[in-house]
Amino acid sequence: MYFAALLARTEDGWEASDTELDDVETLSDLADLAREASPDEDTVLVLIEQEDAWFGVVRVDGEEDPRIYVSDAAAAARSSYGEILLTDELLGRDPDDGDVLDALDLDGTEDGEADGDDDDAEDGAGIAGAADVPHGPVGDALILDDLGVSEKELRLMSTDAVTEIAESLGASETLETVR
């Protein structure tokens, strides 16, 4: 299970809306969804939490590129919603590097010949890109610093981070209306 909400900052405070991510396929789609929540180009936060395993914050300020923080990249990589946030840029990968190498058979066997080593499939390393996804936080840890949530506080959040973030922003009651 996951929970996702949009918090849009207005001159009257924070406004929350529950959001479904079923139609969101890319970070660009998510940023567009956030921008629609604030016609005045105010700050919008997309808060995503998945079963206390990981949380993500996407911050959209007007037409600027979205800023992203993910608490545990390896856990998020196992989620379709996390995969939206874990862009090549966020993970420090060149998007073109993997394409050529992934297409090559570099295990020393001929096509169709078993290599006799199935350990990769059993330990999950056979998942595309899983080996280069770090355990732990990735992204902009200062994403909420100017809103009163320091890097240290953000990194210490774990089980109910979305609620903790909303409390720090003074938006907990607003968030509870959509939870």
Side-chain angles (χ1 to χ4, degrees), residues 15 25 32 34 38 40 71 73 80 82 84 86 91 101 103 111 134 138 143-144 158 161 176:
E15 292 181 7
E25 295 179 8
D32 289 345
S38 179
D40 295 331
S71 66
S80 59
I84 293 169
L86 297 175
L91 295 173
L101 294 177
D111 286 342
V138 294
I143 192 168
L144 301 173
S158 58
E176 286 305 313

PDB file of all heavy atoms in Angstrom, residues 15 25 32 34 38 40 71 73 80 82 84 86 91 101 103 111 134 138 143-144 158 161 176:
ATOM      1  N   GLU A  15      -2.728  23.726   1.330  1.00  0.00           N
ATOM      2  CA  GLU A  15      -3.922  23.014   0.888  1.00  0.00           C
ATOM      3  C   GLU A  15      -3.485  21.620   0.476  1.00  0.00           C
ATOM      4  O   GLU A  15      -2.485  21.452  -0.222  1.00  0.00           O
ATOM      5  CB  GLU A  15      -4.579  23.717  -0.298  1.00  0.00           C
ATOM      6  CG  GLU A  15      -5.183  25.045   0.046  1.00  0.00           C
ATOM      7  CD  GLU A  15      -5.853  25.714  -1.152  1.00  0.00           C
ATOM      8  OE1 GLU A  15      -5.949  25.070  -2.234  1.00  0.00           O
ATOM      9  OE2 GLU A  15      -6.264  26.866  -1.010  1.00  0.00           O
ATOM     10  N   GLU A  25       3.337   8.139 -15.209  1.00  0.00           N
ATOM     11  CA  GLU A  25       4.357   7.204 -15.686  1.00  0.00           C
ATOM     12  C   GLU A  25       5.771   7.755 -15.590  1.00  0.00           C
ATOM     13  O   GLU A  25       6.724   6.994 -15.565  1.00  0.00           O
ATOM     14  CB  GLU A  25       4.053   6.801 -17.132  1.00  0.00           C
ATOM     15  CG  GLU A  25       2.758   6.023 -17.263  1.00  0.00           C
ATOM     16  CD  GLU A  25       2.458   5.644 -18.698  1.00  0.00           C
ATOM     17  OE1 GLU A  25       3.322   5.857 -19.584  1.00  0.00           O
ATOM     18  OE2 GLU A  25       1.355   5.131 -18.941  1.00  0.00           O
ATOM     19  N   ASP A  32       3.784  17.800 -13.707  1.00  0.00           N
ATOM     20  CA  ASP A  32       2.608  18.434 -14.304  1.00  0.00           C
ATOM     21  C   ASP A  32       1.404  18.334 -13.373  1.00  0.00           C
ATOM     22  O   ASP A  32       0.649  19.304 -13.214  1.00  0.00           O
ATOM     23  CB  ASP A  32       2.268  17.799 -15.657  1.00  0.00           C
ATOM     24  CG  ASP A  32       3.272  18.152 -16.745  1.00  0.00           C
ATOM     25  OD1 ASP A  32       4.058  19.099 -16.557  1.00  0.00           O
ATOM     26  OD2 ASP A  32       3.279  17.441 -17.774  1.00  0.00           O
ATOM     27  N   ALA A  34       1.500  18.143 -10.141  1.00  0.00           N
ATOM     28  CA  ALA A  34       1.753  19.075  -9.037  1.00  0.00           C
ATOM     29  C   ALA A  34       1.459  20.512  -9.471  1.00  0.00           C
ATOM     30  O   ALA A  34       0.849  21.279  -8.716  1.00  0.00           O
ATOM     31  CB  ALA A  34       3.195  18.944  -8.561  1.00  0.00           C
ATOM     32  N   SER A  38      -1.583  24.025  -8.190  1.00  0.00           N
ATOM     33  CA  SER A  38      -1.319  25.409  -7.791  1.00  0.00           C
ATOM     34  C   SER A  38      -1.269  26.309  -9.016  1.00  0.00           C
ATOM     35  O   SER A  38      -0.211  26.493  -9.622  1.00  0.00           O
ATOM     36  CB  SER A  38       0.008  25.500  -7.038  1.00  0.00           C
ATOM     37  OG  SER A  38       0.262  26.843  -6.689  1.00  0.00           O
ATOM     38  N   ASP A  40      -1.223  29.385  -9.181  1.00  0.00           N
ATOM     39  CA  ASP A  40      -0.417  30.588  -8.961  1.00  0.00           C
ATOM     40  C   ASP A  40       1.076  30.304  -8.943  1.00  0.00           C
ATOM     41  O   ASP A  40       1.868  31.167  -8.553  1.00  0.00           O
ATOM     42  CB  ASP A  40      -0.813  31.245  -7.634  1.00  0.00           C
ATOM     43  CG  ASP A  40      -2.246  31.752  -7.660  1.00  0.00           C
ATOM     44  OD1 ASP A  40      -2.726  32.113  -8.752  1.00  0.00           O
ATOM     45  OD2 ASP A  40      -2.884  31.761  -6.594  1.00  0.00           O
ATOM     46  N   SER A  71      13.984   8.465   0.589  1.00  0.00           N
ATOM     47  CA  SER A  71      14.615   8.019   1.830  1.00  0.00           C
ATOM     48  C   SER A  71      15.422   6.737   1.683  1.00  0.00           C
ATOM     49  O   SER A  71      16.414   6.556   2.379  1.00  0.00           O
ATOM     50  CB  SER A  71      13.557   7.818   2.911  1.00  0.00           C
ATOM     51  OG  SER A  71      12.697   6.739   2.564  1.00  0.00           O
ATOM     52  N   ALA A  73      16.600   4.442  -1.637  1.00  0.00           N
ATOM     53  CA  ALA A  73      16.526   4.198  -3.083  1.00  0.00           C
ATOM     54  C   ALA A  73      16.314   2.725  -3.407  1.00  0.00           C
ATOM     55  O   ALA A  73      15.546   2.392  -4.306  1.00  0.00           O
ATOM     56  CB  ALA A  73      17.781   4.712  -3.767  1.00  0.00           C
ATOM     57  N   SER A  80       6.761   0.509  -8.253  1.00  0.00           N
ATOM     58  CA  SER A  80       6.525   1.220  -9.510  1.00  0.00           C
ATOM     59  C   SER A  80       6.455   2.722  -9.278  1.00  0.00           C
ATOM     60  O   SER A  80       6.843   3.510 -10.142  1.00  0.00           O
ATOM     61  CB  SER A  80       5.244   0.723 -10.179  1.00  0.00           C
ATOM     62  OG  SER A  80       4.133   0.907  -9.330  1.00  0.00           O
ATOM     63  N   GLY A  82       8.148   4.315  -6.869  1.00  0.00           N
ATOM     64  CA  GLY A  82       9.520   4.725  -6.601  1.00  0.00           C
ATOM     65  C   GLY A  82      10.326   4.867  -7.869  1.00  0.00           C
ATOM     66  O   GLY A  82      11.169   5.757  -7.992  1.00  0.00           O
ATOM     67  N   ILE A  84       9.415   5.993 -10.602  1.00  0.00           N
ATOM     68  CA  ILE A  84       9.130   7.292 -11.214  1.00  0.00           C
ATOM     69  C   ILE A  84      10.116   8.336 -10.690  1.00  0.00           C
ATOM     70  O   ILE A  84      10.602   9.184 -11.429  1.00  0.00           O
ATOM     71  CB  ILE A  84       7.680   7.733 -10.907  1.00  0.00           C
ATOM     72  CG1 ILE A  84       6.681   6.804 -11.599  1.00  0.00           C
ATOM     73  CG2 ILE A  84       7.448   9.183 -11.313  1.00  0.00           C
ATOM     74  CD1 ILE A  84       5.246   6.994 -11.144  1.00  0.00           C
ATOM     75  N   LEU A  86      13.157   7.712  -9.184  1.00  0.00           N
ATOM     76  CA  LEU A  86      14.565   7.335  -9.303  1.00  0.00           C
ATOM     77  C   LEU A  86      15.056   7.499 -10.734  1.00  0.00           C
ATOM     78  O   LEU A  86      15.302   6.546 -11.451  1.00  0.00           O
ATOM     79  CB  LEU A  86      14.772   5.899  -8.812  1.00  0.00           C
ATOM     80  CG  LEU A  86      14.453   5.662  -7.341  1.00  0.00           C
ATOM     81  CD1 LEU A  86      14.566   4.197  -6.994  1.00  0.00           C
ATOM     82  CD2 LEU A  86      15.345   6.507  -6.448  1.00  0.00           C
ATOM     83  N   LEU A  91      20.217   9.217  -9.649  1.00  0.00           N
ATOM     84  CA  LEU A  91      21.101   8.123  -9.269  1.00  0.00           C
ATOM     85  C   LEU A  91      22.525   8.314  -9.789  1.00  0.00           C
ATOM     86  O   LEU A  91      23.391   7.467  -9.557  1.00  0.00           O
ATOM     87  CB  LEU A  91      20.535   6.793  -9.770  1.00  0.00           C
ATOM     88  CG  LEU A  91      19.208   6.379  -9.148  1.00  0.00           C
ATOM     89  CD1 LEU A  91      18.660   5.136  -9.832  1.00  0.00           C
ATOM     90  CD2 LEU A  91      19.340   6.168  -7.648  1.00  0.00           C
ATOM     91  N   LEU A 101      25.416  -1.778 -23.195  1.00  0.00           N
ATOM     92  CA  LEU A 101      25.931  -2.927 -22.452  1.00  0.00           C
ATOM     93  C   LEU A 101      24.847  -3.947 -22.132  1.00  0.00           C
ATOM     94  O   LEU A 101      25.108  -5.141 -22.137  1.00  0.00           O
ATOM     95  CB  LEU A 101      26.613  -2.459 -21.155  1.00  0.00           C
ATOM     96  CG  LEU A 101      27.888  -1.633 -21.364  1.00  0.00           C
ATOM     97  CD1 LEU A 101      28.429  -1.179 -20.021  1.00  0.00           C
ATOM     98  CD2 LEU A 101      28.929  -2.432 -22.119  1.00  0.00           C
ATOM     99  N   ALA A 103      22.428  -4.773 -23.963  1.00  0.00           N
ATOM    100  CA  ALA A 103      22.106  -5.522 -25.169  1.00  0.00           C
ATOM    101  C   ALA A 103      23.168  -6.581 -25.486  1.00  0.00           C
ATOM    102  O   ALA A 103      22.912  -7.515 -26.241  1.00  0.00           O
ATOM    103  CB  ALA A 103      21.953  -4.573 -26.352  1.00  0.00           C
ATOM    104  N   ASP A 111      24.717 -17.764 -27.217  1.00  0.00           N
ATOM    105  CA  ASP A 111      23.272 -17.610 -27.059  1.00  0.00           C
ATOM    106  C   ASP A 111      22.622 -18.962 -26.852  1.00  0.00           C
ATOM    107  O   ASP A 111      22.921 -19.923 -27.560  1.00  0.00           O
ATOM    108  CB  ASP A 111      22.660 -16.943 -28.304  1.00  0.00           C
ATOM    109  CG  ASP A 111      22.969 -15.470 -28.364  1.00  0.00           C
ATOM    110  OD1 ASP A 111      23.338 -14.904 -27.308  1.00  0.00           O
ATOM    111  OD2 ASP A 111      22.840 -14.881 -29.454  1.00  0.00           O
ATOM    112  N   PRO A 134      21.621   2.622  -4.818  1.00  0.00           N
ATOM    113  CA  PRO A 134      22.179   2.575  -3.463  1.00  0.00           C
ATOM    114  C   PRO A 134      21.120   2.312  -2.390  1.00  0.00           C
ATOM    115  O   PRO A 134      19.961   2.672  -2.560  1.00  0.00           O
ATOM    116  CB  PRO A 134      22.771   3.970  -3.286  1.00  0.00           C
ATOM    117  CG  PRO A 134      21.988   4.838  -4.208  1.00  0.00           C
ATOM    118  CD  PRO A 134      21.602   3.964  -5.363  1.00  0.00           C
ATOM    119  N   VAL A 138      18.716   9.226  -1.315  1.00  0.00           N
ATOM    120  CA  VAL A 138      19.284   9.877  -2.496  1.00  0.00           C
ATOM    121  C   VAL A 138      18.497  11.152  -2.757  1.00  0.00           C
ATOM    122  O   VAL A 138      17.351  11.287  -2.337  1.00  0.00           O
ATOM    123  CB  VAL A 138      19.234   8.980  -3.764  1.00  0.00           C
ATOM    124  CG1 VAL A 138      20.114   7.763  -3.619  1.00  0.00           C
ATOM    125  CG2 VAL A 138      17.826   8.596  -4.124  1.00  0.00           C
ATOM    126  N   ILE A 143      15.742  19.792   0.441  1.00  0.00           N
ATOM    127  CA  ILE A 143      14.512  20.083  -0.278  1.00  0.00           C
ATOM    128  C   ILE A 143      13.486  20.855   0.557  1.00  0.00           C
ATOM    129  O   ILE A 143      12.730  21.664   0.040  1.00  0.00           O
ATOM    130  CB  ILE A 143      13.913  18.769  -0.846  1.00  0.00           C
ATOM    131  CG1 ILE A 143      12.804  19.028  -1.845  1.00  0.00           C
ATOM    132  CG2 ILE A 143      13.426  17.863   0.284  1.00  0.00           C
ATOM    133  CD1 ILE A 143      12.392  17.787  -2.618  1.00  0.00           C
ATOM    134  N   LEU A 144      13.481  20.623   1.867  1.00  0.00           N
ATOM    135  CA  LEU A 144      12.510  21.273   2.746  1.00  0.00           C
ATOM    136  C   LEU A 144      13.161  22.235   3.735  1.00  0.00           C
ATOM    137  O   LEU A 144      12.497  22.751   4.634  1.00  0.00           O
ATOM    138  CB  LEU A 144      11.710  20.210   3.520  1.00  0.00           C
ATOM    139  CG  LEU A 144      10.935  19.209   2.669  1.00  0.00           C
ATOM    140  CD1 LEU A 144      10.328  18.126   3.543  1.00  0.00           C
ATOM    141  CD2 LEU A 144       9.857  19.922   1.862  1.00  0.00           C
ATOM    142  N   SER A 158      11.403   8.209   9.379  1.00  0.00           N
ATOM    143  CA  SER A 158      11.316   6.857   8.841  1.00  0.00           C
ATOM    144  C   SER A 158       9.886   6.375   8.718  1.00  0.00           C
ATOM    145  O   SER A 158       9.300   6.453   7.661  1.00  0.00           O
ATOM    146  CB  SER A 158      12.152   5.890   9.675  1.00  0.00           C
ATOM    147  OG  SER A 158      11.707   5.907  11.011  1.00  0.00           O
ATOM    148  N   ALA A 161       6.848   9.322   7.930  1.00  0.00           N
ATOM    149  CA  ALA A 161       7.508  10.550   7.506  1.00  0.00           C
ATOM    150  C   ALA A 161       6.538  11.581   6.940  1.00  0.00           C
ATOM    151  O   ALA A 161       6.700  12.775   7.186  1.00  0.00           O
ATOM    152  CB  ALA A 161       8.586  10.229   6.482  1.00  0.00           C
ATOM    153  N   GLU A 176      -4.478  15.457   7.167  1.00  0.00           N
ATOM    154  CA  GLU A 176      -5.404  14.457   7.708  1.00  0.00           C
ATOM    155  C   GLU A 176      -6.762  14.458   7.013  1.00  0.00           C
ATOM    156  O   GLU A 176      -7.438  13.441   6.983  1.00  0.00           O
ATOM    157  CB  GLU A 176      -5.581  14.638   9.224  1.00  0.00           C
ATOM    158  CG  GLU A 176      -4.395  14.171  10.027  1.00  0.00           C
ATOM    159  CD  GLU A 176      -3.985  12.718   9.749  1.00  0.00           C
ATOM    160  OE1 GLU A 176      -4.862  11.819   9.721  1.00  0.00           O
ATOM    161  OE2 GLU A 176      -2.787  12.489   9.526  1.00  0.00           O
TER     162      GLU A 176
END
